[in-house]
Amino acid sequence: MEDKDAAVELEAVYTEMLQNNLEGLWRMTRDVPEVKPYLWRWDVMSRLVNQAGSFLPMEELAERRAVFLFNPALKHMAGATQTLYAAIQMIQPGEVARAHRHTPSALRFIIEGEGAMMNVENEVVPVHEGDLVLTPNWLWHEHRNEGVENVTWLDGLDSPFVFGLNAAVYEMHPDVYLRETKSRDITSAGNAESLLRPVALEPEATAPQHLVYRWTDVEPALARLAAMETTSPHDGVAIEYAGPNNGHALRTMGCWMQMLRPAEHTEAHRHTHSSVYHVYRGSGHTVIDGQRFDWKQGDCFVVPSWAWHEHVNDSDAHAYLFSMNDIPIMEAFDLQREEALTASGGHQEVTSTFDPAKAAS
């Protein structure tokens, strides 16, 4: 009888706690969405964003013509991971995406098409395939296509992180469009070597803040790095787009380009930072927590925090993987951890193969 009375009294305590927005720590559960490894096919993403372009002219769009990639676990967050947003954006000839600014930082990796211009703080930056353009937070920016073909790029933002802090602020430009008051492309001038750092080396905080990194500088830098054998056992020939923020491109996001040589198979490791990959060129596969993800040019895939992963180039040509990560956030709060897989020769056992058509969403 006493046990029953005690249980009733305890339940009354719990009820009163909830009524007063209180809860016992001993009853707390870790109800956090578990980000899943996932892969998005380029043929599907490209087809859908182009179909949207045929129905939705820019003047009918509130912001941008972008199809975002959401992780199955983060459907309501518009996030590929808890901290990173990714989208495929397309702009048609003659279109202008009006100017705005926001507290989230952004990046654009140009996938295909020529003729696009990015105006950032009144400086027009022409962009080409393989270029990376940055929009640090709270800078005015707009996009325009002065060419004759569609231009498509990968958007990357730290918006899930900023939304989580309830610090997202957006503002449209009062004049709708930006004027061009600065010399074109002045931020890409200078020593390109200072903007590209081998991942295997420690970062320096002395690199300048640039808006654009050219593929015509990145590709030969990777070739020179491969010849010097300054490589990572887990990432192959990899460079980071360097910036002033502890060596990272942006305060909250790092950007890498990796070159996997023919038949190269990296060793598995895991880390607390998450990454979103875009296959710029080539084909191969990545094993994530024992699941094989086959990828080809244009595909995107996500490696969640603390997931074992290794990359394989199955072809006889070089493969290039662009990626964005949240390393700066992890480092800022001393949360960055990394562990190498030492068993089984550094490689995982493949237990399944990912199929987007069958993946649960």
Side-chain angles (χ1 to χ4, degrees):
M1 190 68 176
E2 291 181 359
D3 290 344
K4 184 177 180 180
D5 291 343
V8 171
E9 291 183 16
L10 182 58
E11 189 60 36
V13 170
Y14 292 152
T15 299
E16 187 174 358
M17 282 183 180
L18 294 176
Q19 290 172 344
N20 289 277
N21 293 311
L22 300 169
E23 184 55 282
L25 177 62
W26 59 93
R27 286 172 24 113
M28 187 180 72
T29 59
R30 186 177 183 272
D31 188 17
V32 178
E34 182 180 354
V35 175
K36 301 177 183 297
Y38 199 83
L39 183 143
W40 295 266
R41 294 293 184 200
W42 172 246
D43 54 357
V44 175
M45 295 187 293
S46 176
R47 173 173 53 81
L48 291 175
V49 76
N50 279 280
Q51 285 180 342
S54 65
F55 296 112
L56 298 171
M58 189 63 70
E59 56 268 20
E60 294 184 12
L61 297 170
E63 293 292 333
R64 307 294 196 247
R65 184 187 296 108
V67 175
F68 67 83
L69 290 54
F70 69 82
N71 194 281
L74 304 173
K75 189 171 184 177
H76 303 295
M77 288 180 57
T81 78
Q82 288 105 330
T83 55
L84 301 173
Y85 163 100
I88 302 299
Q89 183 171 169
M90 186 269 285
I91 185 169
Q92 299 178 134
E95 289 185 332
V96 181
R98 58 188 184 178
H100 67 190
R101 64 181 178 179
H102 37 69
T103 48
S105 293
L107 61 90
R108 334 281 172 187
F109 183 81
I110 312 303
I111 298 173
E112 63 179 16
E114 295 290 335
M117 307 282 178
M118 308 288 182
N119 189 331
V120 183
E121 289 287 321
N122 304 110
E123 177 189 342
V124 172
V125 180
V127 294
H128 311 282
E129 293 181 0
D131 289 352
L132 172 66
V133 186
L134 304 181
T135 309
N137 73 323
W138 210 239
L139 295 188
W140 292 112
H141 58 282
E142 71 179 27
H143 318 306
R144 62 178 63 234
N145 187 344
E146 298 180 354
V148 297
E149 59 185 0
N150 293 348
V151 179
T152 307
W153 60 80
L154 174 73
D155 280 330
L157 287 86
D158 58 3
S159 49
F161 173 70
V162 177
F163 282 133
L165 297 175
N166 200 28
V169 180
Y170 287 75
E171 182 178 345
M172 301 304 300
H173 196 279
D175 298 328
V176 184
Y177 304 116
L178 295 175
R179 293 180 298 154
E180 183 178 348
T181 61
K182 301 176 183 177
S183 300
R184 286 200 167 195
D185 208 18
I186 56 174
T187 57
S188 68
N191 182 13
E193 289 295 321
S194 68
L195 306 178
L196 306 171
R197 177 184 64 82
V199 168
L201 301 182
E202 289 297 319
E204 297 180 0
T206 56
Q209 177 69 71
H210 278 226
L211 296 181
V212 61
Y213 302 77
R214 302 293 183 193
W215 174 246
T216 50
D217 295 321
V218 172
E219 187 175 27
L222 287 168
R224 290 192 296 271
L225 187 59
M228 295 164 53
E229 291 297 328
T230 307
T231 61
S232 161
H234 305 115
D235 298 302
V237 182
I239 58 114
E240 178 168 13
Y241 298 82
N245 308 301
N246 294 322
H248 304 300
L250 294 163
R251 292 184 183 277
T252 50
M253 292 186 289
C255 300
W256 292 14
M257 179 64 76
Q258 295 167 244
M259 181 177 74
L260 299 175
R261 292 159 289 192
E264 184 166 9
H265 186 166
T266 68
E267 297 177 13
H269 69 154
R270 61 182 180 180
H271 37 62
T272 49
H273 71 263
S274 60
S275 301
V276 178
Y277 287 82
H278 168 74
V279 184
Y280 179 51
R281 291 181 182 172
S283 60
H285 72 269
T286 297
V287 182
I288 308 173
D289 280 343
Q291 188 174 28
R292 173 172 170 151
F293 291 76
D294 291 290
W295 41 258
K296 59 184 184 299
Q297 183 169 324
D299 292 348
C300 294
F301 62 95
V302 60
V303 175
S305 172
W306 212 238
W308 293 111
H309 59 283
E310 57 196 272
H311 307 294
V312 184
N313 182 352
D314 301 313
S315 71
D316 56 2
H318 289 84
Y320 295 89
L321 301 176
F322 170 80
S323 64
M324 55 183 174
N325 59 60
D326 54 10
I327 291 177
I329 296 174
M330 297 298 135
E331 290 181 343
F333 297 100
D334 195 24
L335 299 174
Q336 176 68 350
R337 301 291 184 273
E338 183 174 354
E339 180 181 353
L341 182 65
T342 56
S344 305
H347 299 302
Q348 304 167 74
E349 177 185 358
V350 177
T351 57
S352 64
T353 299
F354 178 81
D355 182 354
K358 298 178 180 179
S361 61

